[in-house]
Amino acid sequence: MSDSLGRLYLAVIAAKDLDPAVSRTARLFQRGPAKMAKKLAEEAIEVVIDAVNGKTDAVVRESADLLYNLTVLWASAGVRPEDVWHEMERREHLLGIAEKLPKSPVKLRKVPPPPVARRPIVALESRALRKRY
């Protein structure tokens, strides 16, 4: 799949300076990142709606549109597909392939530290504690 997205990315880069009257890609570049982001969001919503409604064929078609619009936005932002693949590889090493990186770094899986020799716990005499106000 990365080969297909790589080819799509190269096609987007090649088409960005074409005549906007004949090239959808050039038209999106002419309108700028805000329009690109809007189109990406619209396609994502269409994928979600079709998935919820059980329309598998429509999910496939809309997903292709979503990937196209994502690739256009990447090109506009100076992001290459390889940048995304490297990030996915980094995350796979941290969490495994099927996990999304959590927003909080606290949730990341950590290698447990080696066991440390601990002193034995000694019970202290219990004392009545008074609350101070």
Side-chain angles (χ1 to χ4, degrees):
M1 183 168 127
S2 63
D3 291 344
S4 296
L5 286 174
R7 288 192 311 276
L8 176 59
Y9 180 82
L10 293 175
V12 164
I13 295 295
K16 73 179 190 172
D17 295 321
L18 296 176
D19 180 6
V22 295
S23 169
R24 176 179 182 80
T25 302
R27 197 164 38 256
L28 284 169
F29 272 91
Q30 183 183 49
R31 293 180 179 168
K35 181 64 172 179
M36 292 174 191
K38 181 180 177 191
K39 291 303 294 177
L40 180 65
E42 288 172 3
E43 296 301 339
I45 291 168
E46 289 174 9
V47 170
V48 169
I49 291 169
D50 289 333
V52 168
N53 291 327
K55 298 180 180 178
T56 305
D57 291 342
V59 170
V60 170
R61 288 190 304 275
E62 296 301 337
S63 293
D65 291 345
L66 178 64
L67 290 172
Y68 162 76
N69 283 287
L70 177 60
T71 305
V72 170
L73 194 64
W74 283 351
S76 173
V79 173
R80 300 168 309 156
E82 300 83 40
D83 301 329
V84 178
W85 308 154
H86 290 162
E87 175 62 11
M88 290 178 71
E89 185 176 315
R90 184 184 76 81
R91 291 177 181 200
E92 180 179 359
H93 291 305
L94 289 172
L95 300 167
I97 192 67
E99 295 294 330
K100 179 184 177 294
L101 194 64
K103 299 292 182 197
S104 169
V106 176
K107 295 180 184 176
L108 289 177
R109 181 175 61 195
K110 295 180 182 178
V111 177
V116 178
R118 296 180 180 248
R119 296 183 314 188
I121 298 174
V122 178
L124 300 175
E125 292 179 25
S126 76
R127 297 180 187 173
L129 298 177
R130 295 181 191 171
K131 291 184 182 178
R132 295 185 183 188
Y133 295 98

Short mmCIF file of all heavy atoms in Angstrom, two decimals, residues 70-95:
data_model
loop_
_atom_site.label_atom_id
_atom_site.label_comp_id
_atom_site.label_asym_id
_atom_site.label_seq_id
_atom_site.Cartn_x
_atom_site.Cartn_y
_atom_site.Cartn_z
N LEU A 70 -5.83 13.33 1.75
CA LEU A 70 -4.77 13.32 2.75
C LEU A 70 -3.41 13.54 2.08
O LEU A 70 -2.57 14.31 2.56
CB LEU A 70 -4.78 12.00 3.52
CG LEU A 70 -3.67 11.81 4.56
CD1 LEU A 70 -3.73 12.90 5.64
CD2 LEU A 70 -3.77 10.42 5.17
N THR A 71 -3.21 12.89 0.95
CA THR A 71 -1.95 13.04 0.22
C THR A 71 -1.76 14.46 -0.28
O THR A 71 -0.65 15.00 -0.22
CB THR A 71 -1.91 12.03 -0.95
OG1 THR A 71 -2.12 10.71 -0.42
CG2 THR A 71 -0.57 12.06 -1.65
N VAL A 72 -2.83 15.09 -0.74
CA VAL A 72 -2.75 16.49 -1.18
C VAL A 72 -2.35 17.38 0.01
O VAL A 72 -1.47 18.24 -0.11
CB VAL A 72 -4.09 16.96 -1.79
CG1 VAL A 72 -4.11 18.46 -2.01
CG2 VAL A 72 -4.36 16.22 -3.11
N LEU A 73 -2.97 17.15 1.15
CA LEU A 73 -2.64 17.95 2.33
C LEU A 73 -1.20 17.71 2.78
O LEU A 73 -0.50 18.65 3.16
CB LEU A 73 -3.62 17.63 3.47
CG LEU A 73 -3.61 18.61 4.64
CD1 LEU A 73 -4.06 19.99 4.21
CD2 LEU A 73 -4.50 18.10 5.76
N TRP A 74 -0.74 16.45 2.72
CA TRP A 74 0.67 16.16 3.03
C TRP A 74 1.59 16.98 2.13
O TRP A 74 2.53 17.60 2.61
CB TRP A 74 0.99 14.68 2.79
CG TRP A 74 0.53 13.72 3.82
CD1 TRP A 74 0.00 13.99 5.04
CD2 TRP A 74 0.55 12.30 3.70
NE1 TRP A 74 -0.30 12.81 5.69
CE2 TRP A 74 0.02 11.77 4.90
CE3 TRP A 74 0.95 11.43 2.69
CZ2 TRP A 74 -0.09 10.40 5.11
CZ3 TRP A 74 0.84 10.06 2.90
CH2 TRP A 74 0.32 9.55 4.11
N ALA A 75 1.32 16.94 0.83
CA ALA A 75 2.18 17.65 -0.13
C ALA A 75 2.20 19.14 0.17
O ALA A 75 3.25 19.78 0.13
CB ALA A 75 1.71 17.38 -1.55
N SER A 76 1.06 19.69 0.50
CA SER A 76 0.97 21.11 0.82
C SER A 76 1.76 21.45 2.09
O SER A 76 2.38 22.52 2.18
CB SER A 76 -0.49 21.51 1.00
OG SER A 76 -0.59 22.83 1.47
N ALA A 77 1.76 20.54 3.05
CA ALA A 77 2.42 20.77 4.33
C ALA A 77 3.90 20.38 4.32
O ALA A 77 4.59 20.54 5.31
CB ALA A 77 1.70 19.99 5.43
N GLY A 78 4.36 19.85 3.18
CA GLY A 78 5.76 19.44 3.11
C GLY A 78 6.03 18.11 3.80
O GLY A 78 7.17 17.82 4.18
N VAL A 79 5.00 17.31 3.97
CA VAL A 79 5.13 16.00 4.59
C VAL A 79 5.21 14.96 3.47
O VAL A 79 4.39 14.97 2.55
CB VAL A 79 3.91 15.70 5.50
CG1 VAL A 79 3.94 14.26 6.01
CG2 VAL A 79 3.85 16.69 6.64
N ARG A 80 6.21 14.10 3.55
CA ARG A 80 6.35 13.02 2.57
C ARG A 80 5.77 11.74 3.16
O ARG A 80 5.80 11.56 4.39
CB ARG A 80 7.82 12.81 2.23
CG ARG A 80 8.49 14.03 1.63
CD ARG A 80 9.99 13.86 1.58
NE ARG A 80 10.44 13.45 2.91
CZ ARG A 80 11.57 12.78 3.15
NH1 ARG A 80 12.37 12.47 2.19
NH2 ARG A 80 11.90 12.45 4.39
N PRO A 81 5.30 10.85 2.32
CA PRO A 81 4.79 9.57 2.85
C PRO A 81 5.83 8.86 3.71
O PRO A 81 5.48 8.28 4.74
CB PRO A 81 4.48 8.76 1.59
CG PRO A 81 4.18 9.80 0.55
CD PRO A 81 5.10 10.95 0.86
N GLU A 82 7.11 8.95 3.35
CA GLU A 82 8.16 8.30 4.14
C GLU A 82 8.19 8.83 5.57
O GLU A 82 8.52 8.10 6.51
CB GLU A 82 9.55 8.52 3.51
CG GLU A 82 9.70 7.99 2.11
CD GLU A 82 9.17 8.95 1.05
OE1 GLU A 82 9.37 10.18 1.17
OE2 GLU A 82 8.54 8.46 0.10
N ASP A 83 7.87 10.12 5.73
CA ASP A 83 7.83 10.69 7.08
C ASP A 83 6.78 9.98 7.93
O ASP A 83 7.01 9.69 9.11
CB ASP A 83 7.51 12.19 7.03
CG ASP A 83 8.52 12.99 6.22
OD1 ASP A 83 9.71 12.59 6.18
OD2 ASP A 83 8.12 14.01 5.62
N VAL A 84 5.64 9.72 7.32
CA VAL A 84 4.55 9.04 8.03
C VAL A 84 4.93 7.58 8.30
O VAL A 84 4.68 7.07 9.40
CB VAL A 84 3.23 9.14 7.23
CG1 VAL A 84 2.11 8.39 7.93
CG2 VAL A 84 2.86 10.60 7.01
N TRP A 85 5.57 6.92 7.33
CA TRP A 85 5.95 5.51 7.52
C TRP A 85 6.97 5.40 8.66
O TRP A 85 6.90 4.46 9.45
CB TRP A 85 6.55 4.90 6.27
CG TRP A 85 5.75 5.03 5.00
CD1 TRP A 85 6.25 5.03 3.73
CD2 TRP A 85 4.34 5.19 4.84
NE1 TRP A 85 5.24 5.19 2.81
CE2 TRP A 85 4.06 5.28 3.46
CE3 TRP A 85 3.27 5.27 5.72
CZ2 TRP A 85 2.77 5.45 2.95
CZ3 TRP A 85 1.98 5.45 5.22
CH2 TRP A 85 1.75 5.53 3.86
N HIS A 86 7.90 6.35 8.73
CA HIS A 86 8.88 6.32 9.83
C HIS A 86 8.20 6.50 11.19
O HIS A 86 8.57 5.84 12.16
CB HIS A 86 9.95 7.40 9.63
CG HIS A 86 10.86 7.10 8.49
ND1 HIS A 86 11.64 8.05 7.89
CD2 HIS A 86 11.11 5.96 7.80
CE1 HIS A 86 12.32 7.51 6.90
NE2 HIS A 86 12.01 6.24 6.83
N GLU A 87 7.21 7.39 11.25
CA GLU A 87 6.47 7.58 12.49
C GLU A 87 5.70 6.31 12.87
O GLU A 87 5.65 5.92 14.04
CB GLU A 87 5.52 8.77 12.39
CG GLU A 87 4.62 8.97 13.60
CD GLU A 87 5.35 9.25 14.91
OE1 GLU A 87 6.57 9.51 14.91
OE2 GLU A 87 4.70 9.19 15.97
N MET A 88 5.12 5.67 11.87
CA MET A 88 4.39 4.43 12.15
C MET A 88 5.34 3.34 12.65
O MET A 88 5.00 2.59 13.58
CB MET A 88 3.63 3.97 10.91
CG MET A 88 2.47 4.89 10.56
SD MET A 88 1.60 4.40 9.07
CE MET A 88 0.78 2.93 9.65
N GLU A 89 6.51 3.27 12.08
CA GLU A 89 7.51 2.30 12.52
C GLU A 89 7.95 2.59 13.95
O GLU A 89 8.09 1.69 14.78
CB GLU A 89 8.72 2.34 11.57
CG GLU A 89 9.76 1.29 11.86
CD GLU A 89 10.87 1.31 10.84
OE1 GLU A 89 10.58 1.39 9.63
OE2 GLU A 89 12.04 1.27 11.26
N ARG A 90 8.16 3.87 14.26
CA ARG A 90 8.55 4.27 15.61
C ARG A 90 7.48 3.84 16.62
O ARG A 90 7.77 3.28 17.67
CB ARG A 90 8.76 5.79 15.68
CG ARG A 90 9.26 6.29 17.03
CD ARG A 90 9.35 7.81 17.04
NE ARG A 90 8.05 8.43 17.17
CZ ARG A 90 7.39 8.57 18.33
NH1 ARG A 90 7.92 8.14 19.45
NH2 ARG A 90 6.21 9.16 18.36
N ARG A 91 6.22 4.07 16.27
CA ARG A 91 5.12 3.71 17.17
C ARG A 91 5.00 2.20 17.33
O ARG A 91 4.69 1.70 18.41
CB ARG A 91 3.80 4.27 16.65
CG ARG A 91 3.74 5.77 16.75
CD ARG A 91 2.45 6.28 16.16
NE ARG A 91 2.39 7.72 16.23
CZ ARG A 91 1.26 8.41 16.17
NH1 ARG A 91 0.11 7.79 16.03
NH2 ARG A 91 1.29 9.72 16.24
N GLU A 92 5.26 1.47 16.24
CA GLU A 92 5.19 0.01 16.32
C GLU A 92 6.20 -0.51 17.33
O GLU A 92 5.91 -1.41 18.11
CB GLU A 92 5.45 -0.61 14.95
CG GLU A 92 5.38 -2.12 14.97
CD GLU A 92 5.61 -2.74 13.61
OE1 GLU A 92 5.80 -2.00 12.62
OE2 GLU A 92 5.60 -3.97 13.54
N HIS A 93 7.38 0.10 17.36
CA HIS A 93 8.39 -0.32 18.32
C HIS A 93 7.97 0.00 19.75
O HIS A 93 8.33 -0.72 20.68
CB HIS A 93 9.74 0.32 18.01
CG HIS A 93 10.36 -0.21 16.75
ND1 HIS A 93 10.61 -1.54 16.53
CD2 HIS A 93 10.77 0.43 15.64
CE1 HIS A 93 11.15 -1.70 15.35
NE2 HIS A 93 11.25 -0.52 14.78
N LEU A 94 7.21 1.07 19.93
CA LEU A 94 6.76 1.45 21.26
C LEU A 94 5.56 0.64 21.74
O LEU A 94 5.50 0.23 22.90
CB LEU A 94 6.37 2.93 21.29
CG LEU A 94 7.50 3.94 21.19
CD1 LEU A 94 6.94 5.35 21.05
CD2 LEU A 94 8.40 3.86 22.41
N LEU A 95 4.59 0.44 20.85
CA LEU A 95 3.29 -0.09 21.28
C LEU A 95 2.82 -1.33 20.55
O LEU A 95 1.86 -1.95 20.96
CB LEU A 95 2.21 0.99 21.09
CG LEU A 95 2.43 2.27 21.86
CD1 LEU A 95 1.51 3.35 21.35
CD2 LEU A 95 2.20 2.04 23.32
#
